[in-house]
Structures are given as C-alpha cells and as structure tokens.
Amino acid sequence: MSRDSLIGTVVIGRNEGARLVACLNSIPENVTHVVYVDSGSTDESIAQADKAGATVVQLDMTQPFTAARARNTGFQKLASLSDVEFVQFVDGDCALQPGWFKTAQTFLKQTPNAAIVCGRRRERFPERTVFNRLCDMEWDTPIGQADACGGDAMVRVAAFEHVEGFRDTMIAGEEPELCVRLRAQGWQVWRLNAEMTLHDADMTRFDQWWRRARRSGHAFAEGAFIHGAAPERHSVRAVRRILLWGAILPLALFFGATIFSPWLLLGLVIYPLQVFRIAHREGWNSRVAWEYAFFLVLGKFPEALGILEFHVRRWRGKPAGIIEYK
C-alpha cells in the first residue's frame, strides 16, 4: 500500500487503555505520521502507542492540562516531522471508521475554502446507559456547512496555522472557539454525511453526566466571554437560556415563596411542562424522546453551575481546572 504523506494524525489521551489501542489500530496503514500526545497516563498507554509505531509526546504536566494544549502540542510535533497538508485530530477514546480519511481528504481537496471537515461521530455502546444514548444524540448534528466541529475532525494545515491553532487555556469548547476564528477569516467548516468515528463515553453513573454538563456550561460561558460581541454573539443565546432555566427562574420562585407566598412554588410545574413540550416535539411516544427531554431540562442546572464557576474563577483571577467525567 502506498504511503500518504499529505495526511498526519494527532491522537490525544490519558489512561484510555484498550480504547487507545482500538484508536491507533483504526488509523489507515498508509498514513505516514501518527503522533500520540499523552497527558500523564498511569496505565500502558505510552507503551501501547510506541508499540503501534506512533511518535509519542508526553505533555508537560507542570502546566495546566487542557485537550486544546495537547492537540496543539501534537500538531507542532507533527509539523516538525513532515510537511503534511491535512491533519486528522482524534481523541484516544474514539476509533476511526473505514473510508473516512479518503472521504475527508477528497472533500478538502475539492473545497479550497474548507478549513475543517467532520462526519458522524457515534457512540459505541448507546444501548448500555441513557447517558451514552444522550451522547449519541448530541453527536448527530446537521449535514452541510456548519458553525463548529467537535474534537474529531480533519483540518487543513494552512488554515489551522493561519489562526494559530486552538486556544491553549480553554478547558472545554475549544473546537467551536477555533471555528469562530476560522470563519471570521473567511474559512468554512463542514459536516459531511459520512461515518467518521466511534466514541466510547463509558458513562455509567449520574455524577459523570452531571460533571460533563457542568463542563458544557463552563464552555458556553467562556465562549460567550471571548466571542459574545456582535456580529458573532457566540454562545450568548445558550448562556442566557441556561441561566434563565437553571438559575434565575428557580431562585426567583424560591425567594418569592419565602418572601411572599409558598404558593409561588407551584410555578415549578413549568419544568415538567417543559419536559412534556420537548418530548412531544421529538415524538412523545418514544422512550428516547422522553429521556432526551428530561435530561435536556435537568441539564440546565449543572450547566448553570458551570457558567457561574467560570465567572467566579475569572473574577478571582484563578485559572480554570479541567472538569473530567471519566
């Protein structure tokens, strides 16, 4: 099989175990350069990556860890090895689908204004837990030109370098933030109708889901803080909606009940009504629709905490610590 010197791959991970092995084995054999960036693993990740033939980079853990910094570090190492034209970023808990590299590469070659292309990311085991199913629904984004991508995507090196890569300090939401800067420079982001990766969220507990939702709120808050001004207004509507449902409305009802009348607590019925409305919109006779509606509404509370956490840390001048759910 001929080697493809136009594409390189950057894999990031920490303690992914068998998931990392599956990820590395899913990379096409003709890809010339594979860089694995490890963020302080205590398992056999580094040895497994080395065995698979990847160039291993151990992230400097004296600095705050972020996936954005890991990806940038991997990209810089890859650029020092070869003059690749495209780079596939993939998380170590994901496995690439057959045919994705060719599909993505062909599209980028045919679409010179495209900076990033992504496809369908699916959960590997959606049937195991409701939290895995929620992830699978989250990945199912519209086909066509998009505002943002996720962590798995193929990028055009010229575009990535043009905007100086990811913002190192962001603990979450670094991909949409990158896309905002790319689109501001005239580049495009595309989601193709093609299978891209299988993701293993491995979420089996409620507290994992709660932390992940809290991290999402933090990402929305930071995105709005950086790019919330016109004309982009990035994440502003999302932050307002989260704060309304997850903080302002419940606090107003509880304080009102304390000061004026306990009957005001009846206003909390708006939450089950909102669940019903969303479930009906999604097809209320489906169990998945009710799951989606319930957790979408409930998620506003941890997301609101994440928003408040971001601003409290910002006001205190403290760097954000990573919020992990695994």
Side-chain angles (χ1 to χ4, degrees):
M1 183 180 294
S2 62
R3 308 296 285 177
D4 192 339
S5 60
L6 293 179
I7 300 180
T9 305
V10 173
V11 182
I12 65 169
R14 180 170 69 173
N15 292 330
E16 292 296 350
R19 290 185 290 266
L20 176 62
V21 175
C23 175
L24 294 168
N25 288 339
S26 71
I27 299 172
E29 293 180 1
N30 65 324
V31 174
T32 306
H33 295 292
V34 178
V35 174
Y36 169 64
V37 182
D38 188 84
S39 301
S41 290
T42 55
D43 63 3
E44 297 296 317
S45 291
I46 292 175
Q48 292 290 353
D50 185 66
K51 182 179 178 181
T55 299
V56 177
V57 178
Q58 297 186 58
L59 204 63
D60 180 4
M61 298 308 289
T62 62
Q63 302 178 43
F65 161 71
T66 66
R69 185 163 72 88
R71 293 193 186 106
N72 282 341
T73 301
F75 177 86
Q76 290 159 9
K77 182 62 177 179
L78 185 64
S80 72
L81 297 174
S82 175
D83 293 329
V84 294
E85 188 175 354
F86 311 116
V87 174
Q88 174 70 46
F89 288 105
V90 61
D91 294 345
D93 57 1
C94 296
L96 291 153
Q97 295 279 47
W100 165 249
F101 267 61
K102 182 177 180 181
T103 299
Q105 182 182 19
T106 300
F107 185 86
L108 286 171
K109 286 182 176 179
Q110 295 175 347
T111 316
N113 289 334
I116 298 180
V117 62
C118 58
R120 178 65 160 102
R121 189 194 223 195
R122 295 186 186 275
E123 267 308 304
R124 186 180 290 275
F125 304 112
E127 73 285 351
R128 287 187 177 175
T129 68
V130 61
F131 311 117
N132 285 356
R133 284 193 292 279
L134 291 169
C135 282
D136 193 63
M137 287 185 276
E138 178 184 326
W139 309 142
D140 193 10
T141 56
I143 304 297
Q145 197 167 335
D147 288 338
C149 68
D152 302 337
M154 188 175 289
V155 306
R156 188 184 303 275
V157 168
F160 191 78
E161 291 180 332
H162 185 199
V163 297
E164 300 181 344
F166 293 103
R167 191 179 291 261
D168 272 355
T169 57
M170 294 189 73
I171 67 168
E174 68 277 5
E175 305 96 340
E177 192 279 332
L178 169 69
C179 292
V180 169
R181 288 184 283 120
L182 284 167
R183 290 188 287 104
Q185 296 297 320
W187 294 101
Q188 298 173 351
V189 179
W190 286 82
R191 155 82 199 283
L192 304 184
N193 185 21
E195 298 298 314
M196 179 179 62
T197 49
L198 283 175
H199 175 263
D200 188 1
D202 194 28
M203 282 201 295
T204 59
R205 305 187 313 274
F206 178 81
D207 66 298
Q208 290 177 291
W209 170 84
W210 183 273
R211 289 197 302 273
R212 189 172 184 273
R214 194 173 115 237
R215 187 182 68 177
S216 294
H218 191 287
F220 283 127
E222 189 165 11
F225 178 74
I226 297 171
H227 298 294
E232 184 65 32
R233 307 293 289 169
H234 178 58
S235 293
V236 170
R237 289 183 62 186
V239 168
R240 288 175 176 172
R241 186 168 57 248
I242 291 167
L243 289 178
L244 173 64
W245 287 94
I248 297 171
L249 183 57
L251 288 175
L253 290 172
F254 279 112
F255 279 116
T258 301
I259 298 172
F260 300 108
S261 170
W263 289 100
L264 285 175
L265 289 177
L266 291 175
L268 292 173
V269 74
I270 194 172
Y271 288 96
L273 289 176
Q274 179 72 342
V275 171
F276 182 85
R277 185 187 71 82
I278 295 171
H280 184 268
R281 183 190 68 195
E282 298 296 322
W284 60 270
N285 58 339
S286 163
R287 184 191 70 174
V288 174
W290 284 99
E291 290 175 345
Y292 172 77
F294 175 78
F295 282 99
L296 185 66
V297 173
L298 183 63
K300 296 297 181 288
F301 297 102
E303 287 173 349
L305 287 176
I307 290 173
L308 296 174
E309 184 177 352
F310 165 75
H311 286 293
V312 167
R313 284 178 169 173
R314 182 176 63 85
W315 292 329
R316 295 177 66 183
K318 290 190 174 183
I322 188 170
I323 304 173
E324 295 184 297
Y325 67 89
K326 287 187 180 179

